Amino acid sequence: MSRIGKAPIEIPAGVTVTVSPENLVTVKGPKGTLTQQVNTDLTVSIEDGHIHVTRPSDDREHRAQHGLYRALLHNMVVGVSTGYRKEMELVGVGYRATATGQVLELALGFSHAIYIKMPPEVKVEAKSERNKNPLIILESDDKQLLGQVCAKIRSLRKPEPYKGKGIKFVGEVIRRKSGKSAGAK
């Protein structure tokens, strides 16, 4: 049996979970509401404050989906109760970020500024302090959407291994390479 799939999901206080007959799971909490369509082969049940996902057989497809949907439901419960937060750092001379409403403006060394309109579920904030790299702080209740937005922002200027310039997550370690060896003959 799947180790992840068989683990029950605890429902915290203030969170309500409903399962429709066609396996549409809706999770409501203080941070928002999320829905997920679960494969109809799997059974989602709510018993004494826990969500249980069970599979009908040990087929390869059922085993794969068992852990997947359990993880997705767990991420939804955590998202609506506490939310998710990602911090990204801009490393490079002249790199700037400013957030006005749901629009993020980035200056990344190109000839023009880049404007990114955030989805309404994602809250964006930009911080820049003197002698520190600018930070972009993203918060959302949807982990998948937050990861997609972070990947899109990061793809604009990936961290490069020679000087370490680019957009990286706070705490991420970039493997550095040495440049050309000077004076080698």
Side-chain angles (χ1 to χ4, degrees):
M1 186 130 187
S2 168
R3 289 175 190 241
I4 293 174
K6 70 180 178 183
I9 305 166
E10 185 178 340
I11 303 172
V15 175
T16 59
V17 179
T18 56
V19 182
S20 71
E22 49 276 346
N23 260 9
L24 183 71
V25 179
T26 305
V27 182
K28 291 182 185 176
K31 297 271 184 178
T33 303
L34 295 173
T35 58
Q36 175 69 46
Q37 178 67 48
V38 178
N39 189 335
T40 53
D41 292 344
L42 301 176
T43 308
V44 180
S45 60
I46 302 167
E47 298 165 5
D48 49 280
H50 289 79
I51 304 171
H52 297 277
V53 181
T54 53
R55 64 177 186 235
S57 69
D58 274 347
D59 290 348
R60 184 181 179 96
E61 187 176 337
H62 289 156
R63 287 191 320 238
Q65 292 181 349
H66 189 208
L68 167 75
Y69 283 113
R70 189 266 176 205
L72 291 175
L73 294 177
H74 175 72
N75 290 342
M76 289 167 56
V77 170
V78 172
V80 298
S81 60
T82 58
Y84 290 101
R85 177 184 171 104
K86 296 266 189 179
E87 294 183 3
M88 302 179 88
E89 185 177 12
L90 278 65
V91 181
V93 177
Y95 288 10
R96 290 187 318 275
T98 54
T100 50
Q102 287 296 97
V103 177
L104 179 67
E105 179 186 352
L106 298 170
L108 300 174
F110 297 119
S111 61
H112 57 283
I114 300 168
Y115 296 92
I116 302 173
K117 184 161 176 28
M118 294 291 150
E121 298 89 4
V122 178
K123 294 185 184 87
V124 65
E125 181 185 345
K127 284 186 181 177
S128 53
E129 296 177 22
R130 191 164 175 81
N131 296 330
K132 288 189 179 178
N133 292 328
L135 288 177
I136 302 169
I137 300 164
L138 300 163
E139 293 182 19
S140 180
D141 57 351
D142 191 347
K143 188 175 185 180
Q144 288 176 310
L145 181 64
L146 185 65
Q148 270 187 316
V149 170
C150 288
K152 176 67 180 166
I153 293 171
R154 185 184 162 102
S155 72
L156 298 172
R157 194 60 111 168
K158 286 186 181 169
E160 54 97 16
Y162 295 103
K163 292 182 180 176
K165 293 167 59 171
I167 302 173
K168 67 182 188 96
F169 291 103
V170 171
E172 180 184 4
V173 178
I174 306 297
R175 272 192 51 216
R176 300 292 296 271
K177 292 182 180 179
S178 59
K180 293 181 183 177
S181 54
K185 294 179 182 176

